[in-house]
Amino acid sequence: MPVLVLNTSLQPLSVIPERRLVVLLSKQKVAFVDDAVRAVIEDGIAERRLNAEEPVIVQLLANVRVPRMILRPTRANILLRDEETCQYCGKQSRELTLDHVLPRSRGGQSTWDNLVASCRACNGRKGNRLLKDAGMHLIRQPRPLQHEYAGFFLLRYPRLREAYEAFLSSAQISVAAAH
Ligand SMILES: [Zn+2]
């Protein structure tokens, strides 16, 4: 189970493997946000059989540098960013292709801002043409994943995302109750 690391203000920072968690714990850099999970993980570490089933969320005790996960514009990541929606006609489909907005034959690169999810029909219609020549439009401008997408990578870990959302709402309730 990958481990979600939050910064001190509870924003998702990165997802790390369990072995990296062990290092952060031994250096006392992070704290668990859930005592039950902490008990399971501490037992697992003590017995050297760390393989947590449940989502693990930890929070940095001080804002230190954590290696940021580099997200590459893979097919899976582009489809996630585009919410499995054709960026030309808006059709949702599980059978999308990737389209180079500026075609490869014209020097288009496989980058976050030049790759979009496209249904087969739109991809075929556009072919090797530029958007204006094909009379087609993007429903939104493809953007690279940067800091403002801090929570994006959570889309790839539905259970962690669910756990994070549940944690956030319970954290907000306890903040509200404290006032
Ligand atoms: Zn389409």
Side-chain angles (χ1 to χ4, degrees), residues 119-134:
C119 72
R120 287 179 200 284
C122 289
N123 206 334
R125 192 177 136 216
K126 178 165 169 282
N128 282 327
R129 295 182 292 174
L130 300 176
L131 282 183
K132 61 177 168 58
D133 297 334

Side-chain angles (χ1 to χ4, degrees), residues 86-91 96 118-123:
C86 172
Q87 295 300 294
Y88 297 114
C89 70
K91 184 176 128 188
L96 293 170
S118 168
C119 72
R120 287 179 200 284
C122 289
N123 206 334

